[in-house]
Amino acid sequence: DAIPEPVQADWADAADAPIAFRFYREAFADHRMTAAQIRKARAVYYGMITNIDYQLGRLFGELLGQGLWDESCIVYSSDHGELLGDYGSFFKSRMLEAAARVPLIVKAPASWQTAPGRRSDALVEWADLLPTFCSMAQADIPDDVSGTDLNPLLRDEVTSIRSHWHGQVDNQHAWRDAQYKYCYFADDGDELVFDLANDPLEQQDLSGDAELTDRLRRQFIAHLQEEGHTHVDAEGRLRVVGSPLPQEAERMRLAQCKGLPAARRP
């Protein structure tokens, strides 16, 4: 019964919200769900999480029973979050914290003598897990891995491993530092800016702050140029690639379900 209500934000309900949000809402008919249906969906999802917790308890109990718990290193994570009605949307596929920020919980071996219950605000990503596991196993880290070994962070030897982080899904980007997140939507050129330190639920869009947005945009563009990314041109301008109009979303979804090509309008 004690389930929090979905997060709402004025920017998400606006007529000029990024087309990615309007597209998904129409494509999956999120806007047709009643408050009772949304609450039930959230309750069932929370029930699934409870079931996973129970199954992990069985696994951990077996490790304890076999005397393997103390020196085991256990990393718990997830592939993506779930909007669950937040901002009027469901599923994933958007770079908001509810969908893009995933758990990363580490039970270190007892021999590391690290303090339990410590929480780190360091910017980390899934790509960091492979080099971390290689390092734990005293194996060579492949040269073509883009992630960073987290062991110094886990052993309290450092407090951060990167100053900025870039994520992308489809034509949506997120560029963030320790405080701010800048979102760029290449479909229509829209931008969102959030102060995650003071607005962790991303309810206040600060893209109207020209100085802040310009600073973050310039950092993001420099990063794309360094990557040779196609969403920035030779003059350092962000590209707008075009996207289907929201009213075409249902037609596209049905065409894709039937295995038919769904042409995108430029």
Side-chain angles (χ1 to χ4, degrees):
D1 291 333
I3 296 174
E5 295 296 319
V7 175
Q8 303 299 337
D10 291 341
W11 65 262
D13 294 330
D16 59 349
I19 200 170
F21 286 87
R22 292 181 280 137
F23 170 76
Y24 278 104
R25 278 201 291 264
E26 291 203 17
F28 297 107
D30 295 343
H31 59 293
R32 299 179 188 175
M33 293 185 68
T34 66
Q37 289 170 332
I38 292 174
R39 182 170 178 78
K40 183 173 182 179
R42 291 170 70 85
V44 170
Y45 193 88
Y46 275 52
M48 292 178 175
I49 295 173
T50 300
N51 180 53
I52 291 174
D53 289 345
Y54 173 74
Q55 303 303 335
L56 288 172
R58 297 176 61 204
L59 172 62
F60 297 162
E62 186 67 19
L63 290 174
L64 282 164
Q66 295 190 25
L68 300 173
W69 175 261
D70 286 348
E71 286 309 308
S72 291
C73 183
I74 298 173
V75 179
Y76 177 85
S77 190
S78 175
D79 56 343
H80 60 81
E82 163 62 57
L83 289 166
L84 277 179
D86 290 349
Y87 317 99
S89 297
F90 276 79
F91 308 120
K92 48 181 179 177
S93 301
R94 270 132 299 180
M95 296 304 298
L96 296 178
E97 298 292 276
R101 185 170 184 169
V102 298
L104 185 58
I105 305 171
V106 180
K107 199 285 293 183
S111 58
W112 288 15
Q113 297 182 334
T114 54
R118 184 175 58 85
R119 182 173 183 139
S120 171
D121 293 324
L123 292 174
V124 299
E125 61 181 359
W126 251 29
D128 299 331
L129 292 183
L130 175 57
T132 300
F133 294 151
C134 288
S135 178
M136 287 178 178
Q138 299 181 354
D140 293 335
I141 299 174
D143 294 334
D144 60 349
V145 170
S146 61
T148 301
D149 178 10
L150 297 180
N151 276 282
L153 187 67
L154 297 174
R155 294 175 181 268
D156 296 328
E157 297 169 357
V158 299
T159 57
S160 67
I161 60 169
R162 60 173 57 86
S163 61
H164 292 81
W165 173 85
H166 173 223
Q168 179 182 354
V169 57
D170 300 326
N171 290 327
Q172 305 170 65
H173 296 267
W175 170 257
R176 63 159 298 182
D177 57 23
Q179 180 172 359
Y180 294 105
K181 177 194 283 186
Y182 167 83
C183 296
Y184 178 68
F185 300 86
D187 285 336
D188 52 9
D190 274 358
E191 299 170 305
L192 294 172
V193 174
F194 301 107
D195 180 351
L196 296 180
N198 298 295
D199 178 29
L201 298 181
E202 300 173 304
Q203 293 176 295
Q204 303 296 322
D205 172 27
L206 303 180
S207 60
D209 184 332
E211 183 178 353
L212 172 63
T213 302
D214 183 64
R215 175 171 65 83
L216 296 172
R217 184 192 302 118
R218 288 177 181 275
Q219 293 175 354
F220 173 60
I221 289 174
H223 172 75
L224 292 189
Q225 289 176 316
E226 184 178 345
E227 280 194 338
H229 202 291
T230 59
H231 284 173
V232 64
D233 64 21
E235 285 73 39
R237 295 172 299 192
L238 292 172
R239 294 184 186 275
V240 177
V241 299
S243 177
L245 296 176
Q247 58 264 35
E248 295 180 347
E250 183 66 11
R251 177 193 62 78
M252 287 186 62
R253 186 185 69 82
L254 292 174
Q256 290 169 342
C257 289
K258 296 176 181 177
L260 303 175
R264 287 177 173 265
R265 178 177 294 181

